[in-house]
Amino acid sequence: MEQATYLTGQFLLAMPGIGDARFDHSVIAMCSHDEQGALGIGIGSVVNGLGLHEVLEQLEIAPGAAPNAPVHFGGPVEPRRGFVLHSADWGGQDTLDVAARWRLSGTLDVLRAIAAGTGPSQWLVALGYAGWGPGQLEAELTRHGWLNVEDDTDMLFATPVDGRWARGFAAAGVDPRLLSSQSGHS
């Protein structure tokens, strides 16, 4: 019997010509993937004109020590729901360990800790997520849409947003300029 391969802790890169403008040049940090489906957080683009301070003020949290970092477009599902991808040196209420590589928190305690200067040492904030039902991501991976790659946490915390897509392809040893946005038929 064949063992299923799951992508938790990896990154999905949108292939050229993915066919959905919402995902053009997307980089998705896969936080959960199993037989029940998949959930990832987009890290390849930011929400224009929205910084962390505005989000904190809307939630009635004083920004305190938090820098006014950009907020990432996490995905089209529940775009008003917030998530924090962060280093493993902090954990709180309902924090999910992601393959011992990074953590995902979706509750206000992580934002309060960041504002107080007691949160994780590395983090990024996103609104929304990308989600797939059972078998849906596996089916998409067989078509011309996504490339999964392994990379370290520098992809999340040390690479500028506009460089993550190219970094992912470089990690896979692929030059995206040589990829066609069209698929052939035989």
Side-chain angles (χ1 to χ4, degrees), residues 46-185:
V46 296
V47 179
N48 290 328
L50 182 64
L52 178 59
H53 286 185
E54 184 177 341
V55 170
L56 292 173
E57 288 168 9
Q58 289 176 7
L59 297 169
E60 298 180 358
I61 298 172
N68 195 21
V71 175
H72 293 73
F73 172 68
V77 182
E78 294 189 59
R80 296 184 53 81
R81 184 173 176 191
F83 296 92
V84 179
L85 292 173
H86 57 86
S87 51
D89 59 352
W90 187 90
Q93 178 184 338
D94 298 325
T95 295
L96 173 69
D97 179 74
V98 180
R101 304 188 77 218
W102 66 79
R103 291 184 177 173
L104 173 68
S105 295
T107 54
L108 294 179
D109 60 335
V110 68
L111 293 175
R112 288 185 184 110
I114 290 169
T118 60
S121 60
Q122 298 176 304
W123 50 268
L124 62 83
V125 175
L127 290 177
Y129 66 93
W132 295 265
Q136 185 181 3
L137 179 56
E138 292 82 354
E140 287 185 22
L141 287 167
T142 65
R143 297 188 296 271
H144 185 81
W146 298 105
L147 173 68
N148 63 294
V149 299
E150 292 192 35
D151 202 343
D152 59 31
T153 58
D154 283 352
M155 172 71 103
L156 294 171
F157 305 122
T159 304
V161 173
D162 61 357
R164 290 178 180 150
W165 189 76
R167 176 194 168 108
F169 277 99
V174 175
D175 183 344
R177 297 172 300 172
L178 302 178
L179 298 173
S180 172
S181 62
Q182 305 290 321
S183 60
H185 302 281

Side-chain angles (χ1 to χ4, degrees), residues 27-49:
V27 179
I28 299 176
M30 294 303 298
C31 296
S32 175
H33 183 208
D34 60 23
E35 66 279 351
Q36 301 301 312
L39 179 139
I41 304 295
I43 61 166
S45 64
V46 296
V47 179
N48 290 328

Side-chain angles (χ1 to χ4, degrees), residues 1-6:
M1 184 167 164
E2 190 173 313
Q3 178 75 16
T5 301
Y6 297 117

